Every structure is written in structure tokens, then in C-alpha cells.
Amino acid sequence: MPEVTLETAGAGLGIAQLAKQAGIVESTSEALRLITQRGLKVDGDVVADKGLAIARGRTVVVQAGKRKFARVTVR
């Protein structure tokens, strides 16, 4: 599983941006579509809120579909 560290200037990073920057989706639009279709997971839980933000200092496992995974640390 790829491990990615993402930098943020704010308190956190939105889930669509996080998925795009981690390289598991091609665009934020694709990430938002996956959320609508219940195909994006964070730590094994389905993401239902498009406004979900991952707080700075957290490490999560993001999954898009069945086969795309990444362990992401937000700094």
C-alpha cells in the first residue's frame, strides 16, 4: 500500500482534495462521484459527507473502489 504525506496550511484537508492529491482518483469530481455512489472509504468506513475534512496530524487509510488504497498522513 502506498504511503503519502500531504502538507496543508489550514487545520485539515477536504476528503475530495485528499483523495486526488494521494493519487487514488484522477480528479476531485471523481472523488465526489464516488462519495455519492458510496465507493470512497476512510479507515474502512463509507464516506457519506462530501464536506468531510481530515484533521492535520492524522493518518488514515483511504480506499477508492475495490482496489485503490493509500495510507495518507496530513501535516
Side-chain angles (χ1 to χ4, degrees):
M1 175 182 323
E3 295 190 16
V4 181
T5 301
L6 301 176
E7 301 289 332
T8 182
L13 195 57
I15 189 64
Q17 276 295 325
L18 182 137
K20 180 179 182 266
Q21 291 179 20
I24 62 169
V25 294
E26 294 293 320
S27 65
T28 54
S29 297
E30 183 181 355
L32 294 172
R33 180 185 57 76
L34 281 172
I35 292 169
T36 302
Q37 296 176 350
R38 302 179 55 83
L40 191 68
K41 296 181 182 180
V42 173
D43 289 336
D45 296 324
V46 174
V47 176
D49 180 14
K50 292 179 182 178
L52 176 68
I54 304 302
R56 193 175 200 179
R58 257 186 94 191
T59 300
V60 294
V61 174
V62 182
Q63 177 183 353
K66 291 183 180 180
R67 296 185 179 97
K68 294 182 182 178
F69 291 88
R71 177 172 283 121
V72 182
T73 301
V74 179
R75 290 189 190 199

